[in-house]
Amino acid sequence: MQSPATLRGAMCIAGAFLSFVLLPLTSAEWNQWLGPNRDGKSSETGLLAVWPESGPKQVWQVESLGAGYSSLAVNSGTLFTQGVKNGKQFLIALDAETGETVWETEHGKPYSNRRGGGPRGTPTVDDGRVYALGGDGNLICADATTGAKIWEKHLLKTYGARNINWGISESPLIDGNRIIVNAGGRGASIVALDKATGKELWKTQSDEAGYSSGVAVEIDGVRQYLFFTGEAAVGVLASNGELLWRYMPVSNSTANVATPIVRDNLVFFSSSYGTGCALLRLESTGGSTTASEVYFNRDMRNHYSSSVLIDDHLYGFSGRILTAMEFETGELAWRDRSVGKGQMIYADGRFYILSDDGVVGLVEPDPSEYREVSRFEIGSRDYPTWTLPVISDGKLYLRDQERLYAYSIKAP
């Protein structure tokens, strides 16, 4: 009997898997895109429950990052990001206490776009090294303390891929000794490299790159990587890249951006441009696995941001509207215009939302209603404030192109 997902689009089946367990990096710091577990959640506590009317206390501000939408990784008191300055693309390290530049390492070529140029991807910090993917597709590995370049590999040139419409935006995924990226080449859509040397370990599939970043999961002891490529949601075997399953209905032909969300054996994908969201269930029967569609609807259409799962509900932007939706059923709980369309993360029982107009909101998750506690504005200038906020060591970091603001949000 065919599953609903099979009726809706292409699915590939292989292996025997029972349940999902996310594989986070070992550090508890905000050392990669969407935090240590790639789920938009910080483990920090003791944060302000309400902000003053003018916002939390600003502890410093710098204008040294250059152009770009790259968010921050934070590790051992150092902030890592990317930017374009004076016609050059840089991986940048800043002192978290002062905002002063610790080092800058040039890599690749600047990417330009009428909607704002510069790098998009967030660096990943692991075992004393920092990995970053530029808007031009150049992947660099550098020493996290000194910025010394260890290796670099231009993915588009190496794998014969073209850059996508708004620039390569992925944040590299580290899993064990591998770094895994969606290069988008023919026969090399998803590529695994040795993280120490950059040497290719395997390559697979031919999808164009998406704007999304992948996640690592484990299913009954077998690892796999979930990616939202430019053409489909896919799962590939960690050891060799073998395709395990493929689901196409949630993909659009313009931009697949949101990071997959996993709980138990359920996986959520969402995209905008008139498409929608899907929840998939992986089940093992008789030595094989079926990936079946639990639901598909148009109530959560993530554009450039990812939803966050709290308890039984997803909270995220469906187009311009903040939306709460029951995770396992897809039932709509509420919709609100909030502070405006934006990005969001979660810490200490509250959402921190940055709109693309520079409005910052503090919101309590509640499946029954929208509950905003506080808001303030940093404003925006030439381009929207599209960079994901970051919380680390009692500070909230907000980026607007070359500007980086640091606010103290720790309760007295």
Side-chain angles (χ1 to χ4, degrees):
M1 180 177 178
Q2 290 182 311
S3 69
T6 304
L7 296 175
R8 297 185 61 88
M11 282 279 188
C12 291
I13 299 170
F17 306 107
L18 295 176
S19 63
F20 276 113
V21 178
L22 281 173
L23 298 174
L25 297 178
T26 55
S27 171
E29 296 191 75
W30 195 277
N31 50 0
Q32 62 174 333
W33 168 247
L34 287 174
N37 295 319
R38 290 208 163 194
D39 58 4
K41 302 176 191 177
S42 168
S43 61
E44 294 213 13
T45 57
L47 305 181
L48 291 170
V50 179
W51 297 333
E53 187 174 339
S54 59
K57 179 183 177 182
Q58 182 177 318
V59 293
W60 54 257
Q61 172 184 330
V62 297
E63 299 189 15
S64 59
L65 303 188
Y69 294 110
S70 176
S71 188
L72 304 166
V74 190
N75 184 266
S76 300
T78 304
L79 312 174
F80 300 91
T81 190
Q82 299 188 88
V84 166
K85 299 187 282 186
N86 301 317
K88 297 178 180 180
Q89 178 173 260
F90 291 95
L91 173 59
I92 304 166
L94 306 173
D95 185 292
E97 286 300 312
T98 65
E100 294 179 358
T101 300
V102 177
W103 52 257
E104 296 179 339
T105 299
E106 183 182 351
H107 78 100
K109 300 293 182 183
Y111 171 79
S112 62
N113 187 280
R114 63 183 180 83
R115 299 290 285 169
R120 281 89 164 94
T122 299
T124 301
V125 187
D126 175 74
D127 197 21
R129 295 182 174 187
V130 56
Y131 303 82
L133 185 54
D136 67 327
N138 191 66
L139 177 63
I140 183 176
C141 169
D143 184 279
T145 302
T146 66
K149 193 180 297 183
I150 297 171
W151 58 262
E152 65 181 330
K153 192 165 195 165
H154 199 290
L155 299 180
L156 303 187
K157 293 178 181 177
T158 301
Y159 296 108
R162 71 173 188 89
N163 206 339
I164 47 183
N165 195 34
W166 291 291
I168 294 294
S169 302
E170 183 184 4
S171 302
L173 173 65
I174 300 288
D175 181 43
N177 70 333
R178 306 182 188 99
I179 179 168
I180 309 97
V181 287
N182 186 194
R186 186 168 182 80
S189 174
I190 301 170
V191 178
L193 309 173
D194 185 301
K195 72 178 184 182
T197 65
K199 179 181 178 181
E200 180 186 305
L201 300 176
W202 52 253
K203 56 186 179 180
T204 186
Q205 307 306 299
S206 296
D207 290 4
E208 182 179 71
Y211 299 87
S212 174
S213 297
V215 297
V217 298
E218 187 166 307
I219 308 166
D220 194 25
V222 179
R223 294 183 179 181
Q224 72 174 274
Y225 305 129
L226 309 185
F227 277 84
F228 201 5
T229 71
E231 300 174 36
V234 300
V236 299
L237 192 62
S239 59
N240 61 13
E242 176 188 344
L243 181 67
L244 300 173
W245 55 267
R246 179 179 179 87
Y247 176 80
M248 296 179 67
V250 75
S251 172
N252 63 64
S253 59
T254 306
N256 298 325
V257 183
T259 300
I261 297 173
V262 182
R263 188 176 72 183
D264 299 329
N265 65 333
L266 300 173
V267 190
F268 179 84
F269 292 88
S270 178
S271 71
S272 190
Y273 298 95
T275 308
C277 63
L279 187 70
L280 308 181
R281 185 192 309 274
L282 298 195
E283 297 179 307
S284 296
T285 304
S288 64
T289 295
T290 59
S292 60
E293 180 185 282
V294 178
Y295 62 77
F296 179 97
N297 68 49
R298 303 186 189 280
D299 290 328
M300 186 71 81
R301 290 177 285 177
N302 294 153
H303 183 203
Y304 61 77
S305 63
S306 300
S307 296
V308 180
L309 176 59
I310 303 296
D311 298 325
D312 294 327
H313 283 76
L314 286 162
Y315 299 84
F317 283 92
S318 183
R320 302 196 65 85
I321 310 298
L322 185 61
T323 300
M325 189 176 79
E326 191 171 12
F327 178 67
E328 293 194 6
T329 67
E331 182 179 348
L332 183 66
W334 52 255
R335 292 161 56 85
D336 194 280
R337 291 193 175 274
S338 182
V339 298
K341 181 180 181 180
Q343 300 256 29
M344 60 194 295
I345 57 173
Y346 174 86
D348 200 17
R350 297 165 190 86
F351 289 118
Y352 293 73
I353 304 175
L354 174 62
S355 82
D356 55 19
D357 293 322
V359 182
V360 190
L362 186 64
V363 175
E364 294 181 354
D366 187 331
S368 65
E369 63 178 347
Y370 174 71
R371 297 183 61 184
E372 183 176 311
V373 177
S374 304
R375 70 164 66 187
F376 73 102
E377 295 186 25
I378 62 169
S380 62
R381 295 177 295 166
D382 297 334
Y383 299 104
T385 42
W386 278 336
T387 299
L388 184 77
V390 165
I391 292 172
S392 179
D393 196 24
K395 294 188 184 69
L396 170 65
Y397 298 99
L398 305 172
R399 179 177 182 176
D400 178 17
Q401 294 291 319
E402 73 274 13
R403 288 186 181 179
L404 180 61
Y405 305 86
Y407 296 89
S408 176
I409 57 170
K410 199 160 189 64

